[in-house]
Amino acid sequence: MMSAPLAARTLPLAKLPAWKALLTHCQEVRPLHLRQLFADDPQRGKRFAIDACGLYLDYSKNRVTAETIQLLIQLAEACSLRERLEAMFKGQKINVTERRAVLHTALRAVGEQILVDGIDVVPAVHAVLGKMADFTDKIHRGTWRGHTGLPIRNVINIGIGGSDLGPVMAYEALRHYSRRDIIFRFISNIDGTDFVEATRDLNPEETLFVICSKTFKTLETLTNAHTAREWVLRKLGDDQAVARHFVAVSTNTEGVAEFGIDTNQMFGMWDWDGGRYSMDSAVGLSTMLAIGAENFHAMLSGFHDMDQHFRTAPFDRNLPVLMGLLAVWYTNFFGAQTVAVLPYEQYLKRFPAYLQQLTMESNGKHVTLGGTKVDYQTGPIYWGEPGTNGQHSFYQLIHQGTKLVPCDFIGFCRALNPLGRHHDLLMANLFAQTEALAFGKTPEEVRAEGTPDWLVPHRTFEGNRPTNTLLAERLTPRTLGSLVALYEHSVFTQGVIWNIDSFDQWGVELGKALAEKTIPELEASQTPNLRHDSSTNALIERYRRFQKRKK
Ligand code: G6Q
């Protein structure tokens, strides 16, 4: 029997002196208002800001003092953040429940040797990137053609979770840099609508499917891949066509071969790269096909810049460390349940969805590395929408509701699509929102505007709502890389403080197993002997009744 691996920390979080100091300190900070903190320190806006890897983080509008930051850093040190991040970068098996190294940083490593079980993984990473670039070149030049000789005009990525969200987000984010003569679509859901709508106006002769699945066992992906195969063969009527219209991204050579894809057309991955951290690997093939190898490498450089920054910058000048610690501060000392991510950039419309997986699949954990139930809150709920759209819906709650919702605002100084006054108006909204959230509007100010007394409470804004602002010059492949790596490492920082395994996902595995049991019960021609709870039994019976009625 395998024994449980050693937990990284033996002293419980609540027993750490730094944690206790923060508990006392937070009693002092809670009554402070950002109005006062800014009035007391005219330089606060510049003092609580860092510029690194093309990103300017203004964290001055947080409910923190210099002492808070010091204490949070002491906490990070007490939790051995420096040692833990080195262990990750060096390929130690820090994903303890799966006994795996965690090496997404190797996907963008340059000139380094990173050993896993004595083997340097970097040359293999570069070999796959080279193969992706060759393939991209063939598609772009039209030397790779479909079975009937037509050039590829449509690329469809079939994958789910980590094999979908990164590619979709990156495609949308970098659409400005993408080929406009190729249509890119993404099919993830097992719901047939996803497939039907993605393919209804396309010609199979001009369509390439990228079947993206680390395991090549995922129900949704394999079902969609088989449907895609039938769709292609229905038109082309020749098994040989599969070779020209399907490529795979996977670790599972046998699975790929069994499906009928030539393994020469398979782009490899590794078990040390988790799905939600894989957009830089061959999972990014659709991204490279969209933006080209050069832009893809620029994106990797952005990731690498942030990796280096995270690894070397002192904690008080370290973007991911500070953002991670601020998330811990609000989660554990202010009882905040969520973090809103609000990009003022339409191209980042899928960024919050991408972050939901990165953050919540990573830190939605209830036991420590050693298997003990935590007695503190872990991963907050990340959510969001692009601005200014969100302002016309849920911002009301952030401004005047009873919940504390720390927000990350993300904006860019230069528009990718300059159009009249649009960009100034967009950014004026971003700046104004963070200002209003921090400083609010007092009853006196509301009254002075001529508001009748009875309406004053309704029009009063308490303020003191914390925000980070991330400002970059322009959304480029490189900036996107740095931005994603910033959140990856912020998530890591949080996970280290909470002493949890940020790299496993047993909840996802549960979902995969549960449906397997229910599928035959829905499909059986004879009434099955249902052994679920009475609620699930009744739902399945009703479903079956309606299915029969349709036939
Ligand atoms: C990510 C998760 C999960 C995974 C999907 C797809 O970290 O493990 O979202 O990416 O379940 O898995 P496959 O790539 O193996 O199909």
Side-chain angles (χ1 to χ4, degrees), residues 109-237:
V110 267
E112 282 173 67
Q113 194 187 51
I114 303 171
L115 301 178
V116 177
D117 297 327
I119 296 169
D120 182 7
V121 299
V122 179
V125 165
H126 288 278
V128 172
L129 285 170
K131 187 172 172 178
M132 289 162 65
D134 286 347
F135 182 68
T136 300
D137 192 55
K138 285 184 190 145
I139 296 287
H140 286 183
R141 285 176 192 270
T143 54
W144 178 288
R145 290 183 174 245
H147 186 63
T148 58
L150 292 181
I152 298 299
R153 292 267 167 258
N154 318 306
V155 172
I156 302 186
N157 186 80
I158 295 185
I160 196 164
S163 298
D164 168 68
L165 288 159
V168 179
M169 182 277 290
Y171 170 67
E172 291 294 345
L174 300 176
R175 202 169 184 161
H176 184 74
Y177 304 88
S178 74
R179 303 273 304 205
R180 301 298 179 146
D181 55 346
I182 302 178
I183 291 173
F184 288 87
R185 301 232 169 114
F186 299 84
I187 298 175
S188 55
N189 204 336
I190 191 81
D191 184 338
T193 297
D194 208 10
F195 187 90
V196 169
E197 288 295 343
T199 52
R200 65 183 318 136
D201 55 345
L202 304 184
N203 177 0
E205 290 172 277
E206 301 177 320
T207 303
L208 175 81
F209 288 95
V210 179
I211 312 299
C212 201
S213 176
K214 184 174 162 183
T215 56
F216 226 77
K217 288 185 178 155
T218 307
L219 174 76
E220 292 89 335
T221 301
L222 288 193
T223 307
N224 279 319
H226 280 285
T227 304
R229 203 188 137 103
E230 284 159 27
W231 183 76
V232 168
L233 294 183
R234 207 175 306 131
K235 173 91 187 252
L236 300 176

Side-chain angles (χ1 to χ4, degrees), residues 429-449:
N429 271 280
L430 184 161
F431 299 136
Q433 286 292 331
T434 66
E435 195 175 11
L437 286 163
F439 304 110
K441 205 184 251 186
T442 63
E444 296 71 39
E445 286 167 336
V446 175
R447 225 170 266 122
E449 288 172 349

Side-chain angles (χ1 to χ4, degrees), residues 215-341:
T215 56
F216 226 77
K217 288 185 178 155
T218 307
L219 174 76
E220 292 89 335
T221 301
L222 288 193
T223 307
N224 279 319
H226 280 285
T227 304
R229 203 188 137 103
E230 284 159 27
W231 183 76
V232 168
L233 294 183
R234 207 175 306 131
K235 173 91 187 252
L236 300 176
D238 178 358
D239 268 358
Q240 301 296 317
V242 173
R244 306 309 295 170
H245 295 273
F246 286 83
V247 295
V249 174
S250 189
T251 54
N252 180 355
T253 316
E254 295 80 46
V256 168
E258 202 179 305
F259 179 86
I261 297 178
D262 180 349
T263 48
N264 289 321
Q265 287 163 214
M266 170 178 148
F267 298 82
M269 308 170 61
W270 304 273
D271 73 355
W272 44 256
D273 184 29
R276 57 193 175 276
Y277 294 89
S278 67
M279 60 176 275
D280 294 338
S281 71
V283 168
L285 181 60
S286 59
T287 314
M288 194 187 273
L289 287 167
I291 63 173
E294 204 177 310
N295 279 322
F296 193 84
H297 279 278
M299 182 181 84
L300 295 185
S301 303
F303 274 95
H304 184 68
D305 291 346
M306 187 57 75
D307 294 344
Q308 291 304 103
H309 170 77
F310 181 49
R311 200 172 179 179
T312 57
F315 287 169
D316 63 347
R317 311 293 306 155
N318 194 311
L319 284 171
V321 170
L322 285 172
M323 280 187 66
L325 291 175
L326 286 166
V328 168
W329 174 240
Y330 293 117
T331 302
N332 298 112
F333 300 95
F334 279 73
Q337 298 281 327
T338 81
V339 176
V341 180

